Amino acid sequence: MLDVTVIEDSAAAAVSLDPMRSRLLAELAAGPASAAMLAARVGLPRQKVNYHLKALERHGLVELAGERRKGNVTERLMRATAASYVISPLALAAVQPDPGRFRDQLSARWMLAVAARLVRDVGTLITGAAKARKRLATYALDGEVRFASAADRAAFVEELTQGVGALIAKYHDQDAPGGREHRIVVALHPTVKTPPAVPAIENAPESA
């Protein structure tokens, strides 16, 4: 099972977004299960679960993990093809974001368009590398910084721009024989805070 895969087909995206099918994907990401096993977990008839599984299988979101005999019946054990899925902008090709339409380094919406292009391009590269059975050379850096002030943030952005720009100028060789172009994406945005879990409230004992 892959850790994450990209859904590029619009029909597959529609199938994955169905609430029940999304629930089945989550169950099958945890481990192989039969339609009967899943039916007990999600509260649907086995025939209905089978219907959903066939749709997921048709689009490559689940696959056969094995079979087992149960009485006179042979059960198919299915599993998810990935632990998690990302929907590529290619699934909405006609309206996918295009960062080339405008360029504003201080615009959150432009950042979103750049991020969408990153998902699209890396998804396409992963698909091609998998078909060619080749390793894809990529690199990502993820970190977090706490600024004392807006002035510090602005100074950080300035130094970051100058530093990355200097590296690009140093290593970019337009005329290198056999060279391959690479895209660089650097983003900075406020951290999204995860809300704290709400503790369960136990029922207070009734007074006598």
Side-chain angles (χ1 to χ4, degrees), residues 10-100:
S10 58
V15 166
S16 69
L17 290 172
D18 176 90
M20 180 51 65
R21 291 169 183 172
S22 179
R23 168 77 185 280
L24 293 174
L25 280 176
E27 292 288 344
L28 293 174
S34 66
M37 294 165 63
L38 292 168
R41 297 177 193 173
V42 302
L44 282 181
R46 180 178 56 82
Q47 293 83 353
K48 192 68 174 178
V49 170
N50 259 325
Y51 169 77
H52 289 310
L53 289 177
K54 287 178 181 178
L56 292 168
E57 186 178 14
R58 188 162 56 248
H59 291 286
L61 300 175
V62 302
E63 61 188 4
L64 183 66
E67 295 180 337
R68 71 176 184 180
R69 293 285 297 178
K70 190 173 183 180
N72 296 325
V73 177
T74 299
E75 289 189 327
R76 302 176 80 227
L77 297 174
M78 306 301 294
R79 66 184 173 194
T81 54
S84 56
Y85 300 85
V86 176
I87 297 178
S88 168
L90 285 177
L92 294 170
V95 291
Q96 63 178 303
D98 180 9

Side-chain angles (χ1 to χ4, degrees), residues 124-208:
T124 299
L125 290 168
I126 288 174
T127 300
K131 290 180 179 178
R133 296 186 178 182
K134 290 184 178 180
R135 183 178 176 83
L136 184 60
T138 61
Y139 168 78
L141 176 65
D142 180 35
E144 190 169 337
V145 57
R146 182 182 178 91
F147 297 110
S149 65
D152 282 353
R153 182 185 184 279
F156 177 88
V157 169
E158 180 65 24
E159 288 189 43
L160 183 65
T161 302
Q162 292 178 1
V164 174
L167 280 173
I168 293 173
K170 178 180 179 180
Y171 288 100
H172 179 64
D173 190 342
Q174 185 65 41
D175 303 317
R180 183 173 182 182
E181 294 181 349
H182 287 66
R183 183 173 295 281
I184 300 169
V185 176
V186 179
L188 177 69
H189 63 79
T191 302
V192 177
K193 297 299 183 182
T194 304
V198 179
I201 300 176
E202 296 182 1
N203 294 328
E206 296 180 1
S207 56

